[in-house]
Amino acid sequence: MSMRFLWLVALTCVTLFFVAPASQSFATIPYAGAGGALPGFGPGLIPPPLVGGKEYSHDSDSTTIGAVGSPPPFDAEQIIAWDGIGGTVDVTDYTGTRTIYTPDDEIDAIANHGDFAYEELKADVAHLVFSVDDVFTGYSFGAPFPGLIPAAGPVALPIGPIGGAGEISYELGTAFGAAPSTVGVWATQPMINGMPLPDDIDGTELWGPEPPLADADKYSLDVDGFSLGVLPGDAVSVWNGAPAGAPPAFGTPYIAQSLVIATVTALLGPAPPGLDPEINLDALMVHDVVEDPNSFDGLGGPLGAPGDEIIFSIRQIPDPGDPDGYYATGSELFVLNASAPPAFLVHGGHVWDHAYSLFAFEIFFADPNNHGVLDINAIEAIGEFAIPEPVSAVLLVFGCAIAGSVRRRI
């Protein structure tokens, strides 16, 4: 079986998905397999079906089992695997994996301790993929109001159209000649979950093993401050997970909320009185390179040699007393290193700081009387291509055939 044939089959499978009629059934589409073995980098975007081990968290957390309508049944701390052609299956459920904090909260960020393409993302070689929250705070003639964006795009922004809250968008890296702030839609609702369509993707992890295994072994709960006191005088912003296939009762603290607060306030300035606890991590990538992958370690040295590191965003914090209406828009992307100064992510030919997010994610940019900025709540990285292993390619072909048969029956 030639590599050219395998590529043609995979791309044909993607094409068939796009032209297939929308499902009218109220049943989950079975997971059909996905992915390739050797991801690489270039100017283009790899199609979602060729990215292996794709996981997402829904807001509210949900299960694919017994799904009727949209959203599917609520299931706190449940993570879902998706194949890129509409099929899904339940994988990790973090419920019961923490012995020191037992409430069954919601998940709002997931990652792997060795996220693929982390360094390439910082070098502007990999492409950033992200999702936005379905809610934001806007201002009409200076008065705040609750805003809502649709689950499906396009959503028009000054930098170009992106996907809705139930989709995953991209920003191209500039290393291969892309213009700064080149954005678009990477994965649509029907690609992520064909039935029922997702309303709000609030966490994503890519490039893991295929189900029933999974590798999202770092996660954040919906409200970091709820765990206050788990650490002495502190809460937990990132937990060590127990991904599918790992022993249970593994949940231990990875990053304290105080570290996240210190990073944010160092870059955005002191939070208004009483708002420090509102600094809540809600999107995450992890680069754990020092010693124990379950401990956030630094290397030290006179200049603060690089240690373990994360890229994260926080939930939007509106502040009507601020001239721009926000202490944090929620679309700033912060870099926290265990032994280096905090910084904003540089990607797409620009700095992901407060000024950029105010401009780039302004949803009322054509309306002088209204003002509103969207909130990023999931991040990951991709490249241009992946070369499938022969067995994986055969499984992908077989899975496409099954998915096509399922769609013809419903």
Side-chain angles (χ1 to χ4, degrees), residues 79-252:
I79 306 301
I80 295 173
W82 56 291
D83 58 18
I85 55 173
T88 58
V89 65
D90 290 354
V91 280
T92 306
D93 189 335
Y94 294 109
T95 299
T97 61
R98 300 178 305 276
T99 59
I100 59 174
Y101 180 73
T102 57
D104 207 9
D105 291 348
E106 286 205 42
I107 301 292
D108 71 350
I110 55 176
N112 177 264
H113 71 275
D115 270 329
F116 171 74
Y118 185 100
E119 293 183 302
E120 289 82 0
L121 184 73
K122 291 184 66 180
D124 226 350
V125 171
H127 310 307
L128 174 72
V129 292
F130 62 91
S131 189
V132 292
D133 203 333
D134 62 340
V135 297
F136 66 96
T137 296
Y139 294 87
S140 182
F141 294 92
F145 69 89
L148 185 69
I149 68 165
V155 175
L157 295 176
I159 53 176
I162 64 169
E167 300 179 317
I168 300 175
S169 303
Y170 68 81
E171 179 188 64
L172 295 181
T174 60
F176 298 98
S181 298
T182 300
V183 297
V185 181
W186 181 60
T188 61
Q189 283 181 291
M191 298 172 78
I192 299 170
N193 191 340
M195 178 57 67
L197 301 177
D199 295 326
D200 184 8
I201 300 297
D202 72 350
T204 184
E205 161 61 10
L206 308 176
W207 304 107
E210 286 291 280
L213 301 178
D215 77 344
D217 59 7
K218 299 286 183 281
Y219 67 92
S220 181
L221 295 172
D222 191 48
V223 181
D224 298 353
F226 283 176
S227 60
L228 182 63
V230 165
L231 299 172
D234 211 342
V236 179
S237 283
V238 182
W239 294 85
N240 292 310
F250 189 71
T252 55

Side-chain angles (χ1 to χ4, degrees), residues 117-129 171-175 179-182 267 285 309-312 331-336 341-354 356-357 376 379-381:
Y118 185 100
E119 293 183 302
E120 289 82 0
L121 184 73
K122 291 184 66 180
D124 226 350
V125 171
H127 310 307
L128 174 72
V129 292
E171 179 188 64
L172 295 181
T174 60
S181 298
T182 300
L267 295 171
M285 288 187 69
E309 188 175 277
I310 66 171
I311 301 169
F312 70 94
S331 289
E332 300 91 352
L333 296 181
F334 305 93
V335 179
L336 165 59
F344 291 108
L345 177 68
V346 178
H347 184 269
H350 62 87
V351 181
W352 280 82
D353 59 8
H354 189 68
Y356 178 78
S357 61
I376 286 179
I379 55 173
E380 248 287 3

Side-chain angles (χ1 to χ4, degrees), residues 242-316:
F250 189 71
T252 55
Y254 182 65
I255 293 180
Q257 188 186 25
S258 59
L259 284 177
V260 171
I261 291 174
T263 299
V264 171
T265 55
L267 295 171
L268 296 184
L275 285 188
D276 270 5
E278 301 298 318
I279 296 176
N280 186 78
L281 185 148
D282 73 348
L284 179 67
M285 288 187 69
V286 179
H287 188 57
D288 192 297
V289 294
V290 182
E291 299 177 349
D292 184 357
N294 300 310
S295 176
F296 194 62
D297 303 307
L299 292 181
L303 298 178
D308 294 337
E309 188 175 277
I310 66 171
I311 301 169
F312 70 94
S313 77
I314 64 172
R315 185 166 299 162
Q316 186 172 93

